[in-house]
Amino acid sequence: MSTPGAVLSQAPAPGNRTGLLPQMLLVVLCGGYAIGSAFGWGSSRLALVMGDFGLSAAALAAAVSCLVYVRRAAADRYRPAWALFAVSSAMVALGNGIWGWYEVVLRGDVPRTSVADFCFLLFAPPAIIGLLVLAKRPVTRAGWVCLGLDAWLIGGSLLTLSWTLALAQTALWEGRGTARIALSLAYPLLDIMLVSMVLALHFRRSTANRAAVNTAIASLALTVLCDALFTSPLLREHYTSGQILDAGWFAGSMLLAYAPWVGERDTAERGTRARHQEQGRRMSGSLAALTPYLAAAVCVLGILYNVIDGRKSDRVVLLTGCTVVLALVVRQGIMLLDNMALTQELAQKENHFRSLVQGSSDVIMIASPTGVLRYVSPAARGVYGCDPEEWVGTEFATHIHPEDLGRVVHEVRRFLAAHATEEPATRIECRIRHGDGSWLNVESSVNRHQGGLIFNSRDVTERVRLQAQLQHNASHDPLTDLPNRALFTERIRQAIGGRRAGDGDTGTTAVLFIDLDGFKAVNDTVGHQAGDELLVQAARRLQDSVRAGDTAARLGGDEFAALICGTSADRHLREYQVHEVADRLRTALSEPYRVDGTEVRVAASIGVAFADPGVSPGELLRNADLAMYRAKQAGKGRVEMYAPAMQAEVVRRAELAGRLRTALRDGEFALLHQPVVDLGTGEVTAVEAQARWRSAQGILFTPAEFLRVAEDTDRTAQLARWLLEEAVGQAALRHAAGCPVPVAVRLSTRRLMHRELPTRDVEALLERHGLPPDSLVLQIADQDPRISLDELERRLTALSGLGVRIALEGFGSGYAPMNALRRLPVDVLKLDRGLTEGVVESPRLRKITAGLLRIAEDLGIRSVAEGVDRPEQVLALREMSCTHGQGMAFSGPVDEHRLRSSLTRGGYPVPDGPTALGSARISVRGTRKAEELRSNNETPVPPA
């Protein structure tokens, strides 16, 4: 006939979110039961069934619902409370079932004292214990005492009122049976105790899942109300099952069954409910403070009722009233002591807070809702350089930088518009005026305070400066402080993106790619520190030479760039303007530099590319880079404009390099030999091995063509090994066939010094093929400044010790061969082609060549002239004591079959008659024949 209520302070398990359908179902069930009760269910028999077994089913549903929730909510620490509520509801279900057994099954009257009465009495203890489990427990002993006193104050006042109105009459009306009187009084007294606990704990409940808590409280309130009505003697005497009073008990049980599954709907609803809960907490706090006085007032009203009615004061009322007053006095004493302790603690915390604020390095300011400063901490004197008292009473906005004021006001208004539970604090950063007139970068944490704001501010000027410096370092070259590649590319993107499609200024943006010629030599001769100083000076000259609004940058190493904007839209005038700027930069960068007391010179090769429509920043830089390389190939120290043909040449070279990777593997290389002839007898005294590449497409490439694209070490090293292996192998076969002529193999100093070609490998190669060491001539093709002359001397001395002969190419073309002649073990000197080509026409070259040949003769070194293509050159060189020659005057590079034929013939005919020095009687036909023999086959092999 009754059911317990409960307060749920734990949030429901995940997924326990009720929708509209369960609520509608609950309303339909409760409303239907109420309507049926109001109209007597149509028959007395059905009324008894619904009044007994209907209430039993509702209580059983509540018990099952609580038990299911206990099983599912494994993480809920309040599971014991719900289990107790399930036991309490089960007792109610059992009591109603027994009541129905008597009335419906046995068709008799329920005894005055039955087992059902004891079941109804047993629902209250589990419910009370469950409430204690759910309660927000006091943290001190005084709190527990106050909780007990509050419960008694409420219970005593309710007992006084109930006894005065009904219970005293009930005790008299029950007559003589003591057991019946005790049983009749126990039921309402337990209800009073339950109501007292609910009211006392209601103000101490948790804020978690208020919907479930409120539903449980409503269930309990409805049940207790029905119990109170049932206790009235008038209603109890005329009560029969199935009446409207049963609808209240039915609704209480159904609400308890629904309570565990009530959850929050969504985030927006939780925010709204949080605001309502905050208002509820303030209201409940006020009610909690008034609870003892209200309870005492109710008790006094009960006594006054007896006095006014002229009744004799009941002992129960007097005893209860005295205990209530005593409890109120004790509670007030405890609260007084507690307030004194809290006041002392508050004073200590206030002093502690004041010392923290005054000693803090952060500036703490309190502003009113109008923005006027009410308080400024003493730290403002050290941070802002001003007296804090001077700031009090001023508007905070007057101290903020005007450029930051709008942003700060917008953020503060947005923060105040948001709810405190959703956004308790915010952060703003702005500039605040210092006492000396400068501006400080300040970061402030902002919190609400009595309608105004609290600012906790700190100086972050150094951090802002450091961030700005880091950002500057990330976009600028650390050595020259010019923009780096990333920033320069971004400037190009801005310059190109700033032009609208169809504007007349299309193509007015140009990029200059600048490379310093000869910078590596500065690093090698003067040192890297001097090289860095030269780069700094070059960057300064570049920055001073560009126009205002243009951008100069360092891309890396000795590569610089300049972005030229706003040139003329006319193509020819635009090229003229940019070429003029580029030439001015080239001139400025090519002037002598004074580094560490030494004057050094470098030149500048500049490539220019224009931002045509559709070009990206990366493509524009690439085009300027290609133009710069064309300037270097054309002689350095030049300015070249980009043309689309340059990109086509790059593509062709890339395709050629790709095919070159597989050429050796596929056997596309062939070995040719060019005879070296004695200028006096025409006898072939040696042959020079030269590589030719015939691609799969049938195109014949000379070394000058394919070695330009084989710049990486792997491909050139592989080709050099193949050339040496093939030359030695074929020379050994000729030697075995009775044609023992030495073979000359051309190698660069870098390739000769490579770790993959040690001396023992050359020796093993000669032994493997059975070729005498003196039949191999290694021609030193160039002098790499990166190769130490001492190391080169040691390597050549070791090879010479094996018997291998050493030839020095390019003799007479520069200073390096003369220095090498002084230190290296040279057996053969090869005159540079530039001397041979002009030896007949130029008297000056003739004298130089004659002097070089005398040096070779005096040193006992055999001389070989390269590029001997005409008969008059043969006569002139022979007269100057040159012993050997190589060129089209005798033969170009030939295959093995033709070479052996010439060796079998004994050599080549040499011209006879007056020399070109005395008379030019060589026939023109002979000269023309020699010219006709020239082809790309004679192109000298570049260094391997």
Side-chain angles (χ1 to χ4, degrees):
M1 300 273 301
S2 65
T3 181
V7 178
L8 178 65
S9 60
Q10 178 68 18
N16 297 339
R17 296 181 178 182
T18 58
L20 183 61
L21 182 60
Q23 296 176 2
M24 294 181 63
L25 181 61
L26 180 65
V27 172
V28 169
L29 289 176
C30 295
Y33 194 97
I35 294 173
S37 300
F39 291 98
W41 297 102
S43 67
S44 58
R45 183 70 177 175
L46 181 60
L48 291 176
V49 172
M50 297 302 298
D52 294 334
F53 291 114
L55 293 181
S56 179
L60 184 62
V64 172
S65 175
C66 292
L67 287 176
V68 171
Y69 180 80
V70 168
R71 290 179 59 85
R72 290 187 58 181
D76 192 346
R77 64 189 181 96
Y78 296 118
R79 294 174 63 205
W82 286 106
L84 290 169
F85 296 152
V87 173
S88 180
S89 295
M91 292 295 101
V92 174
L94 181 59
N96 282 296
I98 295 174
W99 196 291
W101 173 264
Y102 284 111
E103 288 189 336
V104 177
V105 178
L106 299 181
R107 297 175 180 257
D109 295 333
V110 180
R112 281 285 183 177
T113 303
S114 65
V115 179
D117 294 327
F118 292 100
C119 291
F120 291 145
L121 288 176
L122 289 178
F123 95 92
I128 294 173
I129 297 174
L131 289 174
L132 291 174
V133 173
L134 286 176
K136 184 179 179 182
R137 296 174 178 81
V139 295
T140 61
R141 184 179 301 175
W144 282 105
V145 174
C146 288
L147 176 61
L149 292 175
D150 289 343
W152 171 243
L153 285 172
I154 298 173
S157 61
L158 292 178
L159 177 60
T160 301
L161 187 60
S162 301
W163 188 271
T164 302
L165 296 177
L167 296 183
Q169 297 178 6
T170 300
L172 295 174
W173 179 77
E174 288 291 339
R176 297 178 297 275
T178 304
R180 292 182 180 180
I181 295 175
L183 185 61
S184 300
L185 292 178
Y187 190 73
L189 290 177
L190 286 175
D191 275 349
I192 291 174
M193 183 181 300
L194 184 59
V195 172
S196 302
M197 292 300 302
V198 169
L199 292 178
L201 297 177
H202 172 68
F203 301 112
R204 299 174 181 269
R205 71 183 188 273
S206 173
T207 58
N209 200 2
R210 282 296 181 93
V213 172
N214 293 332
T215 305
I217 290 176
S219 168
L220 178 63
L222 188 58
T223 302
V224 171
L225 177 61
C226 294
D227 289 346
L229 294 175
F230 179 77
T231 305
S232 173
L234 295 177
L235 288 179
R236 184 167 184 177
E237 284 297 323
H238 302 286
Y239 169 79
T240 58
S241 297
Q243 292 182 353
I244 190 65
L245 189 61
D246 291 348
W249 283 315
F250 182 85
S253 296
M254 297 309 297
L255 284 176
L256 183 60
Y258 175 70
W261 311 103
V262 179
E264 302 295 343
R265 301 296 176 82
D266 50 32
T267 305
E269 185 176 354
R270 283 197 296 270
T272 304
R273 293 193 176 188
R275 290 191 287 269
H276 294 166
Q277 289 171 5
E278 183 179 356
Q279 298 173 359
R281 281 194 297 270
R282 291 195 294 266
M283 184 179 299
S284 63
S286 302
L287 291 177
L290 294 176
T291 298
Y293 305 102
L294 292 175
V298 170
C299 186
V300 172
L301 287 175
I303 299 175
L304 288 177
Y305 177 80
N306 287 333
V307 173
I308 294 173
D309 198 30
R311 299 178 183 177
K312 183 180 178 181
S313 297
D314 193 281
R315 294 179 181 180
V316 175
V317 173
L318 290 177
L319 180 62
T320 305
C322 291
T323 56
V324 168
V325 173
L326 180 61
L328 179 61
V329 173
V330 174
R331 188 185 188 282
Q332 290 301 105
I334 294 175
M335 294 300 297
L336 179 61
L337 295 176
D338 198 18
N339 288 338
M340 293 174 60
L342 289 176
T343 302
Q344 184 177 5
E345 183 180 358
L346 180 62
Q348 293 176 353
K349 290 184 177 180
E350 184 178 354
N351 293 332
H352 180 64
F353 175 74
R354 183 181 293 106
S355 62
L356 288 177
V357 170
Q358 293 180 352
S360 174
S361 59
D362 292 350
V363 180
I364 300 175
M365 298 179 292
I366 301 177
S368 66
T370 59
V372 177
L373 295 176
R374 295 175 175 172
Y375 173 80
V376 180
S377 67
R381 182 177 289 102
V383 175
Y384 298 141
C386 64
D387 188 357
E389 296 298 330
E390 295 179 359
W391 278 34
V392 175
T394 63
E395 292 187 5
F396 183 50
T398 59
H399 305 285
I400 301 176
H401 196 284
E403 296 180 359
D404 301 338
L405 183 58
R407 175 171 50 83
V408 172
V409 171
H410 174 75
E411 174 62 21
V412 170
R413 288 178 177 174
R414 185 203 63 77
F415 171 65
L416 292 176
H419 197 270
T421 57
E422 299 173 355
E423 189 175 3
T426 187
R427 186 184 66 86
I428 60 174
E429 188 170 332
C430 62
R431 287 167 289 179
I432 293 183
R433 188 189 303 276
H434 191 269
D436 59 4
S438 61
W439 295 97
L440 297 178
N441 293 92
V442 175
E443 181 185 63
S444 302
S445 299
V446 185
N447 294 271
R448 296 174 179 84
H449 175 70
Q450 297 180 358
L453 296 171
I454 295 180
F455 295 87
N456 189 0
S457 307
R458 62 199 62 85
D459 182 11
V460 293
T461 304
E462 291 301 323
R463 190 194 71 187
V464 172
R465 289 176 181 173
L466 179 59
Q467 290 176 345
Q469 183 63 40
L470 292 175
Q471 184 176 1
H472 178 84
N473 293 343
S475 59
H476 288 74
D477 176 58
L479 179 64
T480 62
D481 203 39
L482 290 178
N484 58 13
R485 183 183 291 271
L487 180 57
F488 187 72
T489 305
E490 181 61 27
R491 296 278 177 86
I492 297 176
R493 182 177 291 107
Q494 293 174 0
I496 296 176
R499 295 183 283 104
R500 298 187 301 273
D503 285 352
D505 62 350
T506 300
T508 60
T509 300
V511 169
L512 277 58
F513 202 103
I514 307 165
D515 185 84
L516 300 181
D517 304 322
F519 176 74
K520 185 180 182 306
V522 175
N523 276 339
D524 294 339
T525 56
V526 188
H528 288 276
Q529 185 173 358
D532 290 344
E533 177 61 27
L534 188 148
L535 291 176
V536 172
Q537 295 184 27
R540 191 179 302 117
R541 293 183 187 183
L542 180 61
Q543 187 69 44
D544 295 340
S545 300
V546 296
R547 306 172 310 170
D550 296 339
T551 301
R554 183 190 178 203
L555 305 182
D558 59 341
E559 294 179 343
F560 294 86
L563 176 64
I564 310 299
C565 301
T567 58
S568 174
D570 181 74
R571 177 175 176 272
H572 297 287
L573 182 57
R574 175 189 65 190
E575 291 182 358
Y576 173 78
Q577 291 175 344
V578 174
H579 195 284
E580 185 180 20
V581 173
D583 198 59
R584 183 171 69 249
L585 295 178
R586 182 191 61 79
T587 303
L589 294 174
S590 301
E591 292 179 357
Y593 295 85
R594 195 74 181 177
V595 179
D596 291 340
T598 304
E599 185 178 279
V600 295
R601 290 180 177 270
V602 294
S605 296
I606 302 178
V608 181
F610 290 95
D612 296 327
V615 69
S616 66
E619 293 172 343
L620 187 58
L621 269 173
R622 181 204 62 194
N623 295 343
D625 192 11
L626 292 175
M628 184 273 295
Y629 274 108
R630 179 58 61 89
K632 293 177 95 56
Q633 292 174 359
K636 301 182 179 180
R638 297 168 54 89
V639 176
E640 286 287 342
M641 297 285 182
Y642 170 77
M646 298 180 184
Q647 179 62 23
E649 173 66 17
V650 171
V651 173
R652 190 191 72 82
R653 291 183 61 187
E655 293 176 352
L656 189 63
R659 296 201 301 268
L660 183 60
R661 293 188 182 97
T662 59
L664 279 173
R665 184 192 64 193
D666 297 341
E668 295 181 5
F669 275 91
L671 192 65
L672 301 181
H673 294 84
Q674 187 173 27
V676 177
V677 180
D678 188 309
L679 295 182
T681 64
E683 178 187 0
V684 178
T685 59
V687 293
E688 180 182 343
Q690 297 182 8
R692 291 294 186 272
W693 174 28
R694 186 176 298 277
S695 68
Q697 292 77 19
I699 303 174
L700 181 66
F701 296 100
T702 63
E705 293 174 314
F706 66 75
L707 283 181
R708 282 185 302 176
V709 300
E711 296 175 351
D712 63 279
T713 305
D714 293 338
R715 287 200 292 273
T716 53
Q718 187 179 6
L719 183 58
R721 288 194 299 270
W722 177 86
L723 179 62
L724 185 60
E725 288 268 0
E726 288 292 317
V728 171
Q730 293 190 21
L733 293 177
R734 288 193 297 271
H735 192 274
C739 301
V741 291
V743 61
V745 180
R746 194 178 195 209
L747 293 174
S748 66
T749 54
R750 185 163 60 94
R751 189 59 49 212
L752 183 65
M753 297 297 297
H754 199 272
R755 62 180 182 274
E756 296 184 0
L757 189 64
T759 304
R760 61 178 178 272
D761 285 1
V762 176
E763 183 180 7
L765 178 64
L766 294 173
E767 291 179 356
R768 186 169 67 251
H769 290 283
L771 183 67
D774 59 354
S775 294
L776 176 63
V777 181
L778 295 180
Q779 296 181 183
I780 308 303
D782 63 344
Q783 179 65 43
D784 193 333
R786 294 173 294 182
I787 302 299
S788 170
L789 193 59
D790 295 335
E791 296 179 3
L792 181 61
E793 182 181 6
R794 285 193 293 269
R795 175 64 61 87
L796 292 180
T797 301
L799 290 171
S800 181
L802 295 177
V804 177
R805 290 188 284 176
I806 308 299
L808 184 63
E809 277 195 2
F811 187 65
S813 62
Y815 297 102
M818 298 299 294
N819 193 27
L821 181 62
R822 181 175 62 87
R823 299 185 56 181
L824 302 180
V826 178
D827 301 299
V828 181
L829 283 179
K830 300 192 73 172
L831 289 179
D832 186 68
R833 177 183 293 272
L835 296 177
T836 305
E837 289 177 347
V839 73
V840 177
E841 292 82 2
S842 173
R844 185 180 183 86
L845 282 179
R846 198 160 48 243
K847 292 180 180 180
I848 294 173
T849 304
L852 294 175
L853 291 172
R854 282 196 299 271
I855 293 174
E857 186 179 7
D858 293 342
L859 293 175
I861 299 174
R862 189 173 70 177
S863 57
V864 178
E866 289 188 287
V868 182
D869 299 328
R870 297 177 293 168
E872 58 267 30
Q873 292 174 335
V874 177
L875 297 175
L877 290 169
R878 187 169 58 194
E879 184 175 333
M880 288 185 288
S881 302
C882 182
T883 58
H884 296 79
Q886 174 184 347
M888 296 304 297
F890 307 106
S891 173
V894 295
D895 56 19
E896 186 67 19
H897 176 72
R898 293 183 180 181
L899 177 61
R900 293 204 179 190
S901 297
S902 63
L903 293 176
T904 303
R905 289 196 309 266
Y908 295 93
V910 295
D912 197 7
T915 66
L917 301 177
S919 172
R921 293 193 296 182
I922 304 297
S923 66
V924 177
R925 184 169 57 86
T927 302
R928 287 180 178 173
K929 182 178 181 180
E931 291 291 342
E932 292 171 359
L933 289 174
R934 292 176 62 95
S935 70
N936 62 354
N937 288 341
E938 69 160 295
T939 307
V941 181

